[in-house]
Amino acid sequence: MPAKSIVFESIRTRHIPLVFAVASLLLAALFLLFYQLVSDSIDQAFEQQNLASHASIVPRLKESRETLINQTRILHVSRGIRRQFASGTDEANLAQSLDVFARRWFERNKDPSIRGVSYLNARHEPIVAIDFQQDVQVEDLGQLADGSPETVVRVSDVIRGSFAALPANEMDVHIATLADGTKVLRSLFRINHRRTKALLGYVVVDQSLEEVIDWAGGADRRLVVYDREHGQLIYDSEDVGRAGLSLATGAPELVQPLARLPVKDVDENHFTSRFAVESRTYLLTHEEMDALPWALVTTVLMDAYIEKPEFQGFVLMIASIFFVGIGGVTIYVLVTRIRNRSAALEEANQIVSRHNQMLEQELTTAHDMQMRL
């Protein structure tokens, strides 16, 4: 065999383990990639379920808000209301007039989500506070209007105390807690002077949270609605009583996952990520609303869905890598044996070549001696 061919074969044989090692690493990387793709597919499936549930909530919230704005416009934009606030009318007579006006408005709209309507002066002091759920319905509003202001008009005790916690920054929409412990979605509308735009007072409309947000996501799912601008919880399906608390106080486990969300893209208003709390894995889907400065967060407890498949996938991946490793060791042993035997054969070939050379020299010497004789 030519020396060049022998050297080439030796190089090829020597690099077989290296080639196999590179191929094994690529195969292991493919296993890991496939494992990650399966995990991502599970996340995407649950993300679509979360977005589908959001798709049923967001339109209702948007429609409810638009309906409320349209319905309540007359309560604070009406010329009669502005005129009464600006005229300096005696507060008792003003209260009686506003009470009748608000009750007539409620009777006309019959919106089941409306819990109460209140009028405040510019100092946030209640003039009228009507709780439509607990107040006795007045059958004859005309008789109410003709009655004595001192005996007819009432400020509901259930609503009265909630104005003490009215946000100093006059949030348009926030959560308020009534005296009976009920959480309501409170909307605050300014009453301005028609010409000077000076602040005259406020009209406050309270809506029942259960009527505005209807959620039935199941035991392993949780819906959180919060105000993005002020960080206030609007709704938490795990405990409705947390409404009105700050996000850091009412849902501290969500603060860090939400802080890791990427900057909002122009074409993307939702994000999904995993996070862990006390060794339990959750999938979080965050979606922002356009109509309100709110965001919806749905979390799903993933352990029941991914624990067994992920364990099986991990075992399969380890077994596959172990099998490839055994194959690599086997090939390495075979290649080593082939190289050793090839080396032994090459050494034997060299010995035979030397013997042939010696025999050829002896024959040449014998031939020369014979020729001399």
Side-chain angles (χ1 to χ4, degrees):
M1 181 180 291
K4 184 176 180 181
S5 178
I6 293 175
V7 172
F8 179 73
E9 292 295 333
S10 176
I11 292 174
R12 278 200 314 184
T13 306
R14 190 183 307 118
H15 285 79
I16 285 178
L18 179 61
V19 172
F20 184 81
V22 173
S24 299
L25 289 176
L26 291 175
L27 189 61
L30 287 175
F31 281 135
L32 291 172
L33 179 61
F34 178 74
Y35 180 78
Q36 186 62 42
L37 287 175
V38 171
S39 179
D40 290 343
S41 298
I42 295 174
D43 289 355
Q44 290 174 7
F46 280 100
E47 178 188 28
Q48 293 304 314
Q49 290 185 6
N50 292 341
L51 291 176
S53 65
H54 290 182
S56 65
I57 295 174
V58 172
R60 289 204 304 268
L61 287 174
K62 182 179 179 181
E63 182 182 359
S64 173
R65 186 63 186 168
E66 291 175 349
T67 300
L68 180 70
I69 291 175
N70 292 331
Q71 288 180 346
T72 57
R73 185 175 177 80
I74 193 173
L75 294 177
H76 59 94
V77 180
S78 168
R79 288 189 178 185
I81 295 295
R82 290 181 174 183
R83 189 182 302 114
Q84 290 184 66
F85 268 91
S87 64
T89 306
D90 175 76
E91 189 161 301
N93 290 317
L94 176 61
Q96 181 184 24
S97 177
L98 295 176
D99 185 273
V100 173
F101 187 78
R103 291 180 186 275
R104 282 177 174 166
W105 172 84
F106 180 73
E107 287 296 321
R108 183 169 61 252
N109 288 283
K110 292 292 185 181
D111 188 341
S113 70
I114 303 298
R115 171 66 187 264
V117 172
S118 305
Y119 278 98
L120 314 179
N121 59 26
R123 300 183 300 276
H124 293 176
E125 297 170 346
I127 302 172
V128 172
I130 309 172
D131 182 356
F132 294 115
Q133 180 173 311
Q134 295 193 3
D135 283 2
V136 177
Q137 291 295 320
V138 179
E139 300 294 336
D140 189 353
L141 292 175
Q143 183 179 357
L144 176 64
D146 295 336
S148 171
E150 290 76 10
T151 58
V152 174
V153 177
R154 292 179 295 117
V155 175
S156 172
D157 292 332
V158 176
I159 298 179
R160 182 197 300 270
S162 62
F163 296 120
L166 198 66
N169 55 0
E170 297 181 2
M171 291 169 56
D172 291 339
V173 184
H174 62 276
I175 297 297
T177 305
L178 303 184
D180 61 359
T182 304
K183 302 287 185 177
V184 293
L185 184 64
R186 174 162 289 174
S187 298
L188 188 71
F189 301 96
R190 295 165 61 95
I191 301 174
N192 297 321
H193 193 281
R194 187 164 172 265
R195 292 190 179 87
T196 66
K197 305 303 179 183
L199 178 64
L200 301 175
Y202 303 90
V203 62
V204 177
V205 181
D206 294 334
Q207 293 176 280
S208 300
L209 264 181
E210 293 79 5
E211 295 288 343
V212 177
I213 302 177
D214 183 19
W215 169 256
D220 58 346
R221 292 175 182 267
R222 176 187 180 189
L223 173 67
V224 172
V225 183
Y226 72 96
D227 190 313
R228 301 196 308 271
E229 295 180 352
H230 304 92
Q232 183 193 47
L233 286 176
I234 303 298
Y235 178 82
D236 187 347
S237 63
E238 191 173 74
D239 184 359
V240 181
R242 295 173 184 164
L245 299 176
S246 66
L247 186 65
T249 303
E253 66 279 3
L254 299 180
V255 174
Q256 188 173 357
L258 292 177
R260 293 198 301 264
L261 290 177
V263 179
K264 180 181 177 182
D265 191 281
V266 177
D267 300 324
E268 200 78 27
N269 68 338
H270 65 269
F271 304 100
T272 296
S273 65
R274 284 194 189 189
F275 70 98
V277 177
E278 298 178 354
S279 302
R280 307 185 79 180
T281 303
Y282 295 86
L283 182 75
L284 177 149
T285 301
H286 180 276
E287 184 174 9
E288 296 183 359
M289 290 183 60
D290 296 326
L292 288 167
W294 294 356
L296 280 71
V297 178
T298 298
T299 61
V300 183
L301 179 59
M302 300 292 288
D303 294 344
Y305 303 102
I306 65 172
E307 191 171 10
K308 185 177 180 180
E310 284 192 344
F311 176 75
Q312 292 174 341
F314 181 76
V315 171
L316 179 62
M317 183 176 63
I318 295 299
S320 301
I321 294 176
F322 180 72
F323 173 77
V324 172
I326 290 179
V329 171
T330 303
I331 292 177
Y332 178 79
V333 170
L334 290 175
V335 169
T336 302
R337 287 185 178 182
I338 291 174
R339 288 176 59 186
N340 292 337
R341 297 201 177 171
S342 297
L345 183 61
E346 186 177 351
E347 184 179 357
N349 187 41
Q350 292 175 354
I351 293 173
V352 171
S353 296
R354 285 196 299 269
H355 287 173
N356 289 337
Q357 289 176 359
M358 292 174 61
L359 180 60
E360 186 177 354
Q361 289 177 358
E362 290 178 355
L363 289 174
T364 302
T365 302
H367 179 268
D368 291 342
M369 292 177 64
Q370 185 179 6
M371 292 297 294
R372 289 172 186 171
L373 294 175

